[in-house]
Amino acid sequence: MRALALLLFLGLALAQSLLTPPEARVGEAVKIRGENLPNGRFPLALEGPEGSEALEVEVREGSFRLPFTPKAPGAYRFRLALPSGVLEARLEALAPQAPKLLETGLSLPGGVLPLPEGPWLGPLVQGDRVYVARGLLVLEVAQDRPEVLRFHFAPGRVLALRPGPEALLEGERALPLPFPPLPFSGKEEDLKELGALLEALKPPRPWPYFAYWALPPESLTEEDLKAYGEDLRLRGHRPELFFAQEGVLRMAEAASLLQAKDPEKARLLAEALLRHTPLFPGSLAFFERFAEGLEAQGHPAGALRFREALKVLRTWLPPDLSPLREGLLLLGLAYLALFLYLFLYHLPAQLKDLRPLGGYLGGWLRHPLLRLRHLHLAYASFGERLLALGLLLLLGAGVLLQGLDGRVRAQLFAPPLDQGTLRTEAAQAWLMDLPPLPEVRALQGYALLGENPKEAKALLQEGATLPFAQALLGEEGALAEAYRKAPHAGPIRSALGLGEDPWGPREPGPSAATLYRALFRVELTRFLEDPLRGFLALGLPLDLPGWGRVALFLAFFLLLLYHLLSFFLPRRPHAPPWGWALWVRLLFPGSLGFAGGLGLLLLLLAAYGLLRLLQGEGPGLLLLAYGLHLLFLVGSLRRPG
């Protein structure tokens, strides 16, 4: 019996075991198991790369399970002391597997984070954090668990991730993570890619404003639109500046389509546009139509809010110079008519005087200096010469005004000034390239205010002629002067405690109209420095090649010299034939009063009537001008001598 008991005891002892996996990764949790053990508490000694440690395990029903996570690579030895002896087990801890991108997602020591298929960048390992990026989105993940800790929205497409951590964006701009609140500088295709990522990953809201542009506008809630507006302001966008982003235009289009189907959603979108991005292509017409729609739906108070806001919006926009084109046509017709009249009226006397010199054209070859004394303006009176020069100068000034206006608008409503802010890198670089005029200095100071307040204050001081610059300086006298110059500017009124406009309190800053005036002065300065180069760069509605513009500039310059030369020529005595003079005067309205300037009114009326006739609006004004002209002409014939 004793031999049998001994054999049984030895069998049980041999069946006792301490089990561990042969290998494990550092940071990977494993189980240390004991099997066929006596119940009770027993000491467990651990020896590893980091030293020794004494543990205790409790055996129940003959087994135990002890979780263990190796912290360093190397060999670990476990020794369990039992009454029957010591059990030993070994574990080899391997270095942790580096995170890597797989087709299915991001492989981490703690598992795999599923990711949408696409060109992900990374991973970048920084301590216990891992970063991957795609398009405008950077994910921050913990190594020990496969879930996103933070979503970082980049203001431009991410090209690479760098230690720091930081991200390299398009335009060779490196930004630290998390990203500072900068204006969006990406492209429309970046937003499309971001929209797919938002749908797949569903990051927690609120988001940056440009992330909402990646969603269908009709899906945005009131909370989304509130967060959208707050982020726009946080990143330096201003309602007084122009917005041409596709996201804004999509919101306006959606509001127009939803006004009949879902009036409440349309109202939310329209109010968000009005409050945060009110100046976009066609915005005034959009808000006017929306106000009319509200009135038709029985909401006169809502319509009134839009119409009152429109009055302020119009003051933020550049002046409307659309009538200038018709004015230039009017001046051009009047000038050509006057020039032709003076040529025809004095032609008989001119031909008579030029006959001894070789004729009208031959005189230029035989006696060119004498021929200059017989210009047809030399036969005109001083008043007629002055009137012709005045019309030419007005025409030239009008063309210059239209050209400068076209060039300024081409810059004002195009990148980088069409992003609703001057605090983008591109806008700041563009401003730095402008001539150092006081207005430009003020704009540069405003653009740098968030990054370099000291330098910004110095620049604002240089350009303190502008009201917004005076208000930003914050001095009591400057604020009062700013109010005198711009008493209806909401930010200035807010700074003085005099109330605010519908856009609420905000930092003083330039409006689109302020930008227009500053750029107009810049372009005028450049034109005066180099008139020929400036004329070639004017934004004129002329489809002319470069040489054509040069020819046009030279023609105007020579014509101006011709008019100026006529003032140095003595008037040639002459008496045109009575019949010829009558017929010429009959053709040109106002010709009886050109010498005194009064006939110009009839001439302009006739030119305007001709324009209306060419536009298909009837000959009424042209007939009126000729009727009045005939009355004066008949009256002059009946007067004695």
Side-chain angles (χ1 to χ4, degrees):
M1 289 296 292
R2 288 183 179 179
L4 182 62
L6 181 61
L7 289 173
L8 181 61
F9 176 78
L10 289 174
L12 290 173
L14 290 173
Q16 293 173 347
S17 58
L18 180 64
L19 304 174
T20 65
E23 293 180 347
R25 294 279 180 185
V26 172
E28 179 183 342
V30 296
K31 295 288 186 182
I32 309 300
R33 297 183 294 122
E35 301 290 347
N36 301 318
L37 305 178
N39 294 333
R41 293 180 177 273
F42 303 101
L44 176 67
L46 165 64
E47 297 177 5
E50 296 179 320
S52 301
E53 185 178 357
L55 303 173
E56 187 179 65
V57 297
E58 183 178 3
V59 180
R60 293 181 180 178
E61 298 180 358
S63 65
F64 74 87
R65 301 286 186 275
L66 177 68
F68 174 71
T69 303
K71 297 179 180 179
Y76 287 84
R77 186 170 69 161
F78 300 89
R79 302 180 75 249
L80 180 64
L82 296 173
S84 60
V86 177
L87 297 180
E88 185 174 315
R90 293 179 179 273
L91 168 69
E92 185 70 24
L94 305 177
Q97 184 177 6
K100 63 179 179 179
L101 285 168
L102 308 173
E103 291 185 3
T104 55
L106 176 63
S107 174
L108 299 165
V112 176
L113 171 67
L115 294 175
E117 292 185 9
W120 288 91
L121 301 174
L124 170 70
V125 179
Q126 297 283 276
D128 63 340
R129 300 298 170 92
V130 181
Y131 298 86
V132 291
R134 180 177 167 190
L136 302 175
L137 196 60
V138 178
L139 308 184
E140 180 181 339
V141 188
Q143 289 205 51
D144 57 350
R145 56 184 191 274
E147 59 185 45
V148 179
L149 296 180
R150 295 181 69 182
F151 292 83
H152 302 281
F153 293 84
R157 174 173 282 274
V158 177
L159 300 181
L161 294 171
R162 295 174 171 176
E166 67 176 23
L168 177 67
L169 274 57
E170 277 187 334
E172 299 300 317
R173 178 171 51 158
L175 294 178
L177 284 163
F179 295 113
L182 297 175
F184 178 60
S185 60
K187 303 180 179 66
E188 183 64 17
E189 50 266 30
D190 299 331
L191 293 178
K192 292 179 181 177
E193 184 178 23
L194 178 61
L197 294 176
L198 295 177
E199 184 177 353
L201 299 172
K202 294 182 171 49
R205 306 187 189 199
W207 303 331
Y209 69 87
F210 52 86
Y212 294 104
W213 285 343
L215 301 181
E218 57 272 13
S219 69
L220 300 179
T221 65
E222 188 171 1
E223 291 74 20
D224 290 337
L225 293 172
K226 182 180 178 182
Y228 166 78
E230 289 174 353
D231 193 67
L232 273 168
R233 186 164 297 188
L234 173 67
R235 293 172 185 263
H237 289 274
R238 297 191 56 82
E240 296 95 336
L241 296 177
F242 190 73
F243 293 80
Q245 295 94 332
E246 289 292 329
V248 175
L249 300 180
R250 279 196 298 273
M251 290 175 68
E253 183 180 358
S256 297
L257 294 174
L258 290 170
Q259 193 168 15
K261 302 175 185 177
D262 189 347
E264 182 61 23
K265 176 64 72 174
R267 182 188 63 80
L268 287 176
L269 290 174
E271 287 182 350
L273 287 166
L274 181 65
R275 183 158 185 80
H276 308 303
T277 57
L279 299 181
F280 54 86
S283 62
L284 297 188
F286 165 80
F287 292 127
E288 186 63 44
R289 287 194 305 271
F290 203 84
E292 292 172 359
L294 287 175
E295 284 181 340
Q297 293 166 4
H299 302 290
L304 183 61
R305 286 198 300 272
F306 276 89
R307 289 210 164 97
E308 287 301 307
L310 276 170
K311 294 178 182 177
V312 182
L313 292 183
R314 290 188 176 96
T315 67
W316 292 350
L317 286 171
D320 181 14
L321 297 184
S322 56
L324 181 60
R325 183 176 179 275
E326 190 167 295
L328 288 177
L329 292 174
L330 182 65
L331 284 174
L333 285 175
Y335 173 76
L336 289 175
L338 178 62
F339 197 83
L340 183 60
Y341 163 75
L342 294 176
F343 173 75
L344 293 175
Y345 187 80
H346 302 297
L347 183 60
Q350 187 183 22
L351 290 176
K352 180 182 176 182
D353 291 345
L354 287 173
R355 194 172 296 120
L357 301 179
Y360 190 87
L361 297 176
W364 292 109
L365 299 175
R366 295 179 58 184
H367 302 284
L369 292 178
L370 287 176
R371 177 65 180 83
L372 282 174
R373 300 183 62 184
H374 294 272
L375 299 175
H376 77 271
L377 286 181
Y379 294 83
S381 67
F382 179 81
E384 290 170 335
R385 299 181 196 184
L386 192 60
L387 180 59
L389 177 63
L391 284 176
L392 181 65
L393 290 176
L394 280 176
L395 185 60
V399 170
L400 178 61
L401 177 60
Q402 186 183 40
L404 292 176
D405 174 77
R407 180 156 175 78
V408 169
R409 287 176 193 270
Q411 299 173 69
L412 188 61
F413 301 133
L417 301 184
D418 65 345
Q419 304 299 298
T421 179
L422 296 182
R423 291 177 177 169
T424 62
E425 233 183 31
Q428 291 173 6
W430 185 85
L431 286 172
M432 291 301 171
D433 288 336
L434 297 180
L437 302 177
E439 295 88 344
V440 174
R441 290 299 197 194
L443 295 174
Q444 292 171 349
Y446 168 78
L448 287 174
L449 198 57
E451 298 178 15
N452 192 336
K454 185 176 180 181
E455 182 182 355
K457 289 285 185 182
L459 291 168
L460 288 170
Q461 196 70 48
E462 289 185 48
T465 55
L466 295 180
F468 83 85
Q470 292 173 324
L472 283 174
L473 290 172
E475 301 166 0
E476 188 173 346
L479 267 175
E481 180 65 23
Y483 177 74
R484 281 192 289 271
K485 291 180 179 178
H488 302 295
I492 295 175
R493 294 181 65 86
S494 296
L496 289 168
L498 299 175
E500 56 194 48
D501 61 16
W503 288 267
R506 58 195 183 279
E507 177 189 66
S511 65
T514 307
L515 267 179
Y516 174 87
R517 289 190 290 269
L519 293 180
F520 193 92
R521 185 170 175 198
V522 166
E523 293 303 326
L524 180 59
T525 301
R526 287 173 171 171
F527 176 83
L528 295 176
E529 290 174 352
D530 190 343
L532 178 57
R533 189 183 298 274
F535 183 81
L536 296 178
L538 290 180
L540 295 172
L542 297 174
D543 189 16
L544 290 176
W547 64 266
R549 289 198 170 211
V550 171
L552 187 61
F553 177 81
L554 292 177
F556 178 83
F557 181 72
L558 293 174
L559 194 58
L560 180 61
L561 285 180
Y562 179 85
H563 280 274
L564 294 175
L565 177 62
S566 70
F567 285 94
F568 296 96
L569 299 177
R571 189 179 183 189
R572 309 290 302 175
H574 70 289
W578 182 86
W580 176 265
L582 178 63
W583 279 109
V584 172
R585 283 183 168 174
L586 186 64
L587 290 174
F588 296 91
S591 54
L592 292 175
F594 284 158
L598 296 178
L600 179 62
L601 297 177
L602 265 184
L603 183 62
L604 291 175
L605 179 62
Y608 185 62
L610 180 58
L611 284 179
R612 296 282 295 272
L613 179 63
L614 294 174
Q615 293 168 358
E617 298 185 20
L621 288 177
L622 186 60
L623 293 176
L624 175 62
Y626 268 102
L628 293 174
H629 174 60
L630 289 175
L631 283 177
F632 293 140
L633 186 61
V634 171
S636 69
L637 293 176
R638 301 173 81 179
R639 285 198 297 269

